[in-house]
Amino acid sequence: MAHWAKTLELPVTWIRAYRPDQAPGVLAARIVREIAEALGLEDAGDFDGTIRRISEADSDVVVVVDDFEYVLECGVEQEIENLLIGCGRRVHMAVLSRRPTSFNLARTEMCSFSPINTEGLLFVPAEARELFRRYYNRRISGADALALVDQTGGTPGALHLINLATAAMTELEFGNSLHDQVEPWQSTREYVEGQVLAWLQPEEKNLLLRCADLPLLSAQHCDLVLGSDNSADILMTLQKHLVIFPVSRGVFRVRVSVQSYLSWYRKTMFNPSVIAAERRHVADLLCAAGELQITARMLALAGEWDRLNDLIRQNPEQVAATGACSWIAGVSAERIDSSPWLQLVQARNLYDLGYKKAAEDLSSKLKRLLPGRAAMGILLEIWQSANLWQDPRQIAEAGPASALRMATVSDPGAQLSHFDSESDPLVLLARGLTLQMSGNQSASRLYLRTCAAQRESVESPTAPLIAELVLAVVGPLAGSPNPYAQATEASSVARRSYKHGLKWIGRLANGIAAALTPHSDSEIITSAVIAESDERGDDWTSALVLLVQLITRLRDGRAAAKDFDELAGRFETLGAGTLLAWTLAMRALVGASRNDSAAIGCAQQAVEAAQLAAVPGALAIAQAALAQAQGDPGGELMRSARDLARANGLVWRPWTWLQHRAASTVQVDSTEAAPQQHALRCFGKFQLTRAGELVDLGGLRPQARTILMILSVAAGKPVHRERIAYALWPENSLDESLHRVQVSISNLRRILEPERLRGQESIIQRQGEAYALDLTAWGASDVVEFESSISSAMAAMARQDAAAAAAGLAAAVELYNDELLPEEGPAEWVIEYRERFRLEAAQAAETGAAMLLSLAKYPDAVRLANRCIEIDEWRDDAWRVLIEAHQRSGNTAAAAKAAQNYARVLEALGVPDSFAGSA
């Protein structure tokens, strides 16, 4: 927060709350005095008078209130709300608390709130590297940034503590300390003791200490260890204090810094024999309760090797399960080498960590050493899973994983018949990925979403996590993607994967999150993930991260044809002909867009590769590349590429990503580019076009037309059918209304898709009890583009890129050419949406105008400020920006006229004219 404050061009005042501030009015009075002092205002002598002076000030101020947890549940939140309302828009406040606050976020008279939870404050590796580089003035490698986030979970406090503890170290010493550090640094111990444990009651500290060896905390396990029945209440309290965080429902993990401290404290303060005896006792309790995975961990910590070997021998399937073997990392190499049963656990852990080749070699060796069908089954599974992705010729039995691997070799469509389950998450994932590789992105997303939705209901989260990760990459790319939102989704998958012990998925997700973000630090993190994966023998992670990185570069116009040569070599080595076809197609596309001398030959090679591998999506891209390379982007070959893409559900049109960046003088095919030609328009009038031609909606019944509008305004998000029913037929019974919704949807599909065959995916998709409109194959929606432009602007603001933020906001305002769906009049269902978009457009224009003013782009600032006033003439900041922009540009007459108009607006509100003069 302190480093963020340094980047602001506004006065910042810091206030720390204390327990005496719980008294009524004390903290509010302190805040008002600090604001007045920061603005250089004289004390009015009374609280209300000072607030009035603040509201009339001509500059803004930022107030940061820290340690707000001291004044919770004392009525202070309402006092702060009233204070902010009185001070007006000039005061911007950030409230920091270790426990949730109870501010009334629904008060309409206040400026908008932006609550940020713990998840939103966590650093990803690229951000951690940027933090150390920009604010701590320290260079750290990409590998060290990955290790930092792995150790700290990305929590800002833990990163800061590590910086304090290692400030005197060289870059080499710092990297070594991250990998060799066993005990917590002194600064970490002091922080945990003073800022975390000091808040806790004795029973809460007791639970943490007694249960410190448990990898995850649940009420059941804690009650077992403590011999109590109130652990659930204690865990909820610890969560409120942010000492633990939820992994799944009712299951928690202790924060990294606290866990490190607890381990050190037990080791330092207790007799080792006492700790060992307690661990044996806990192991007995857990074993009796059937919790064999945690029992194995406790026996390893207690050094009970004979018992541990017997436990694994008798229960190999439970003890050596996926994601349950991380405890083996704390066992010495000598001990592991002495026991084939410990080596079995090691083989599983190596596979979980992504050491596929090492896992394959170890499991192959153990097949000659371990008796028993169960142990052999595990070894065979590990060996086949690892070997399957190294050499597809070794595939021995049918199954979703084998069929998926064969889909990477060639002809993915031929493998779809192997996926017969509609509920098994692994089958759903494999089918979704296979469809994705064939190019049917529309159908693929349905299976991936269904798989991802099962993350809370399945025993193993592996398949849902991978599905979420793939959706983060391919889900939004059909329209105008927000790379920062995509990267955030991928980073969330990484954190949850690490929580479940699935470190190879976590590493893959971290690499993809970095690859999705066009940022110098992100490029370094991507390279570090690829290097680390290569070192581990995890060739697939390396190749997939590189693939996403090159797709991002292709989308942003930064890709070079030679960039794809390395990727092509990787996929060729892996025997992945399907993915090689996609790589060659994208390479050909880049070469064609840059008029490379070998562009035609590369495109012909890509066409042949896609045909040989039977990959329709890659073939469509290769044909588009060949059409461009031959100088005929509007001819028969390009039409064939478009038809092939449409027929096979390919949502991406990567040739349109590069058209406006192409260096050639070739005429661009207008049916593919034309970013301003929206297939769906909701602002100004309702209009739907397909392939550049207006869709005749005359055959739609009025109710069906209204449903189409509702789905259109939702911008691709699902709308529950009961909500539609209530909007159209509030007086009817629910069953009757739902039947009418179904009939109207059928009418819609018949008019919009007269040639759609039964079983083919519709642009009106059913998602559970909801409907969503998916027009990505037809083109863009002005509502989607509007929201995407604002999201991109917010991301630019977050990284302090004012120029990009202003451009995004201006683009959003340009899209809002009139109110939403004016032909619907005062229909009740549309009023809320219409007002929301009006306010968002006005806010975008107001904020964008202020940014353009700060960038000295005065004509553009005037234009946006005027547009804001057209949308909402009651916005003071827009008037002030308008007046100041005219003044700075030397147009005093226009400034005076704007001031007069502003005075008339204020007069209508009953505000004195002098207030306009202060602008």
Side-chain angles (χ1 to χ4, degrees):
M1 184 62 72
H3 298 299
W4 162 77
K6 291 179 182 178
T7 66
L8 301 177
E9 298 180 356
L10 298 173
V12 180
T13 181
W14 294 81
I15 298 171
R16 189 178 297 276
Y18 300 99
R19 283 196 171 89
D21 292 323
Q22 295 176 357
V26 174
L27 183 59
R30 285 181 57 204
I31 293 174
V32 168
R33 286 196 300 271
E34 294 287 346
I35 294 174
E37 182 177 343
L39 293 174
L41 303 174
E42 294 184 5
D43 192 342
D46 66 284
F47 183 82
D48 293 336
T50 305
I51 284 184
R52 278 195 299 274
R53 290 190 177 183
I54 293 171
S55 68
E56 296 168 358
D58 57 0
S59 62
D60 291 16
V61 64
V62 176
V63 183
V64 180
V65 184
D66 202 357
D67 292 342
F68 200 79
E69 63 272 9
Y70 282 108
V71 295
L72 294 178
E73 302 173 359
C74 299
V76 175
E77 286 99 326
Q78 186 173 354
E79 293 178 359
I80 301 297
E81 293 169 16
N82 294 332
L83 181 155
L84 289 173
I85 293 171
C87 290
R89 294 176 175 268
R90 290 300 187 189
V91 176
H92 311 275
M93 182 176 291
V95 176
L96 312 179
S97 174
R98 290 186 180 87
R99 291 187 290 150
T101 63
S102 57
F103 286 103
N104 183 359
L105 306 185
R107 294 189 68 169
T108 57
E109 66 268 41
M110 295 185 62
C111 298
S112 60
F113 280 90
S114 297
I116 303 175
N117 58 19
T118 307
E119 182 89 359
L121 294 173
L122 298 179
F123 280 68
V124 299
E127 293 169 338
R129 187 176 187 276
E130 183 182 16
L131 173 72
F132 274 71
R133 177 175 55 82
R134 290 184 59 183
Y135 299 116
Y136 296 151
N137 294 317
R138 301 178 63 178
R139 292 184 56 188
I140 64 173
S141 67
D144 289 345
L146 287 166
L148 264 177
V149 173
D150 187 24
Q151 286 192 17
T152 64
T155 54
L159 291 171
H160 183 62
L161 291 171
I162 287 180
N163 174 63
L164 292 176
T166 62
M169 293 183 181
T170 65
E171 184 176 348
L172 179 60
E173 291 171 337
F174 176 75
N176 291 336
S177 71
L178 287 177
H179 300 282
D180 300 337
Q181 187 73 15
V182 177
E183 296 183 353
W185 282 291
Q186 179 66 27
S187 56
T188 302
R189 297 200 296 267
E190 293 174 352
Y191 170 79
V192 173
E193 290 170 351
Q195 300 294 324
V196 179
L197 298 182
W199 286 88
L200 304 183
Q201 298 299 319
E203 63 177 1
E204 295 157 4
K205 295 179 185 177
N206 181 58
L207 183 146
L208 289 173
L209 281 171
R210 294 280 305 279
C211 300
D213 289 329
L214 298 179
L216 299 172
L217 302 183
S218 67
Q220 177 186 359
H221 291 160
C222 292
D223 282 342
L224 200 64
V225 173
L226 299 174
S228 64
D229 59 0
N230 65 335
S231 296
D233 294 335
I234 298 175
L235 290 174
M236 292 304 297
T237 303
L238 289 172
Q239 184 186 6
K240 287 182 179 179
H241 285 294
L242 304 183
V243 179
I244 61 177
F245 58 90
V247 175
S248 58
R249 184 173 300 177
V251 180
F252 304 89
R253 190 185 294 275
V254 180
R255 298 213 167 274
V256 176
S257 57
V258 179
Q259 182 66 57
S260 175
Y261 173 87
L262 292 171
S263 299
W264 166 82
Y265 186 86
R266 284 164 58 89
K267 180 180 178 182
T268 305
M269 300 299 176
F270 293 95
N271 188 301
S273 61
V274 174
I275 296 296
E278 181 176 311
R279 285 168 171 167
R280 288 193 294 271
H281 175 64
V282 172
D284 291 339
L285 294 173
L286 292 168
C287 186
E291 301 288 353
L292 302 185
Q293 294 174 2
I294 312 178
T295 301
R297 175 188 178 89
M298 300 304 297
L299 290 174
L301 290 172
E304 293 288 322
W305 305 115
D306 291 339
R307 288 184 60 189
L308 178 57
N309 280 311
D310 288 341
L311 181 70
I312 302 172
R313 177 176 55 82
Q314 296 167 9
N315 308 277
E317 293 175 316
Q318 293 94 321
V319 178
T322 299
C325 301
S326 59
W327 55 266
I328 197 69
V331 181
S332 68
E334 294 79 9
R335 177 65 62 182
I336 294 174
D337 291 341
S338 69
S339 166
W341 295 107
L342 290 178
Q343 290 178 55
L344 173 65
V345 176
Q346 173 78 323
R348 172 68 78 187
N349 192 50
L350 286 171
Y351 186 84
D352 288 345
L353 291 173
Y355 291 102
K356 301 292 194 298
K357 188 65 171 63
E360 177 190 349
D361 292 343
L362 182 56
S363 59
S364 180
K365 183 189 82 169
L366 289 174
K367 284 191 292 186
R368 300 188 300 271
L369 301 176
L370 286 178
R373 180 175 298 179
M376 287 299 296
I378 295 172
L379 291 171
L380 185 62
E381 176 207 336
I382 295 173
W383 182 83
Q384 285 185 339
S385 298
N387 199 40
L388 171 69
W389 296 99
Q390 302 299 322
D391 185 358
R393 293 171 299 181
Q394 298 297 323
I395 295 176
E397 59 183 37
S402 300
L404 176 61
R405 178 61 173 110
M406 289 306 300
T408 69
V409 177
S410 66
D411 198 1
Q415 301 301 321
L416 293 174
S417 60
H418 295 284
F419 310 121
D420 54 358
S421 173
E422 295 294 331
S423 58
D424 186 331
L426 181 58
V427 173
L428 291 170
L429 174 67
R431 188 177 186 89
L433 292 176
T434 300
L435 286 165
Q436 192 71 223
M437 284 189 286
S438 73
N440 193 342
Q441 295 173 317
S442 296
S444 169
R445 285 186 297 176
L446 294 177
Y447 288 98
L448 293 174
R449 286 170 181 163
T450 304
C451 178
Q454 296 188 20
R455 58 181 175 268
E456 299 294 340
S457 59
V458 294
E459 183 175 345
S460 172
T462 302
L465 285 170
I466 295 175
E468 284 188 71
L469 184 58
V470 177
L471 286 170
V473 178
V474 303
L477 278 181
S480 298
N482 181 346
Y484 294 94
Q486 293 172 258
T488 298
E489 292 177 20
S491 297
S492 176
V493 172
R495 282 192 286 270
R496 283 179 282 132
S497 299
Y498 282 118
K499 290 176 184 177
H500 289 287
L502 301 171
K503 291 198 172 184
W504 72 270
I505 300 179
R507 186 169 60 256
L508 174 63
N510 268 332
I512 287 177
L516 287 168
T517 312
H519 189 284
S520 59
D521 288 298
S522 298
E523 294 270 347
I524 291 172
I525 297 299
T526 303
S527 299
V529 171
I530 292 173
E532 181 184 351
S533 300
D534 284 340
E535 182 182 346
R536 292 171 180 258
D538 189 0
D539 299 331
W540 276 95
T541 290
S542 302
L544 293 175
V545 170
L546 182 57
L547 173 62
V548 176
Q549 183 183 50
L550 294 185
I551 291 174
T552 301
R553 289 180 182 175
L554 180 68
R555 180 190 64 198
D556 297 337
R558 297 182 293 119
K562 62 180 179 61
D563 293 339
F564 290 90
D565 292 339
E566 177 189 349
L567 182 61
R570 287 178 178 271
F571 283 135
E572 191 169 8
T573 301
L574 290 169
T578 297
L579 297 173
L580 175 62
W582 283 97
T583 303
L584 294 176
M586 290 185 285
R587 183 192 188 284
L589 196 60
V590 174
S593 71
R594 298 179 184 275
N595 284 335
D596 288 353
S597 58
I600 293 179
C602 288
Q604 289 173 337
Q605 179 190 8
V607 169
E608 292 172 1
Q611 289 173 335
L612 181 64
V615 186
L619 181 59
I621 296 174
Q623 287 180 346
L626 183 58
Q628 290 189 355
Q630 292 175 343
D632 188 21
E636 181 62 33
L637 189 57
M638 181 61 81
R639 284 193 290 274
S640 173
R642 290 200 308 270
D643 292 343
L644 185 63
R646 187 177 297 112
N648 287 277
L650 181 66
V651 176
W652 289 358
R653 298 291 191 274
W655 52 90
T656 66
W657 299 348
L658 299 175
Q659 280 176 346
H660 68 283
R661 300 184 178 93
S664 71
T665 57
V666 177
Q667 183 180 359
V668 175
D669 182 1
S670 61
T671 63
E672 286 296 330
Q676 297 303 319
Q677 298 293 322
H678 294 103
L680 179 62
R681 289 183 56 187
C682 295
F683 295 128
K685 64 177 178 179
F686 185 68
Q687 181 176 291
L688 183 63
T689 58
R690 176 170 48 192
E693 296 183 2
L694 194 65
V695 176
D696 184 9
L697 302 177
L700 284 178
R701 298 168 182 163
Q703 294 89 347
R705 182 186 179 90
T706 300
I707 290 176
L708 178 59
M709 290 181 176
I710 292 173
L711 297 178
S712 301
V713 172
K717 303 181 186 70
V719 182
H720 200 282
R721 59 185 189 137
E722 291 184 12
R723 182 176 178 183
I724 298 173
Y726 182 77
L728 270 67
W729 301 282
E731 70 283 356
N732 293 359
S733 68
L734 180 59
D735 289 342
E736 182 183 355
S737 298
L738 291 177
H739 174 70
R740 292 190 176 188
V741 170
Q742 185 176 353
V743 171
S744 297
I745 292 291
S746 299
N747 178 229
L748 267 176
R749 287 171 171 160
R750 187 169 58 255
I751 297 297
L752 298 180
E753 305 168 290
E755 299 175 0
R756 184 176 70 91
L757 301 177
R758 181 177 296 275
Q760 285 185 338
E761 184 181 14
S762 171
I763 63 171
I764 301 177
Q765 299 177 352
R766 178 73 180 265
Q767 298 180 13
E769 297 296 310
Y771 292 97
L773 189 65
D774 184 4
L775 287 172
T776 48
W778 288 13
S781 156
D782 57 356
V783 171
V784 173
E785 294 279 354
F786 176 90
E787 294 185 335
S788 178
S789 296
I790 290 182
S791 296
S792 298
M794 295 301 102
M797 291 170 67
R799 63 181 190 272
Q800 289 90 46
D801 188 347
L809 294 171
V813 176
E814 184 73 16
L815 287 162
Y816 186 82
N817 54 13
D818 202 347
E819 71 176 13
L820 183 79
L821 301 175
E823 55 266 80
E824 278 293 276
E828 186 175 347
W829 75 267
V830 79
I831 291 175
E832 178 183 348
Y833 284 112
R834 186 179 291 156
E835 183 65 4
R836 192 194 91 193
F837 283 113
R838 186 184 72 83
L839 293 176
E840 286 184 0
Q843 184 65 56
E846 185 180 69
T847 305
M851 286 185 165
L852 291 166
L853 180 65
S854 69
L855 295 169
K857 296 184 177 181
Y858 305 129
D860 292 332
V862 167
R863 179 177 56 82
L864 271 193
N866 272 323
R867 181 62 181 129
C868 176
I869 292 167
E870 290 174 6
I871 299 170
D872 185 1
E873 66 175 347
W874 310 110
R875 288 185 172 261
D876 296 323
D877 287 352
W879 282 107
R880 298 183 186 201
V881 168
L882 178 62
I883 295 167
E884 188 172 350
H886 280 313
Q887 289 173 340
R888 291 190 188 182
S889 63
N891 194 342
T892 55
K897 183 176 180 181
Q900 290 175 357
N901 292 335
Y902 183 31
R904 282 196 290 270
V905 170
L906 294 176
E907 183 179 2
L909 292 172
V911 179
D913 289 349
S914 59
F915 193 67
S918 68

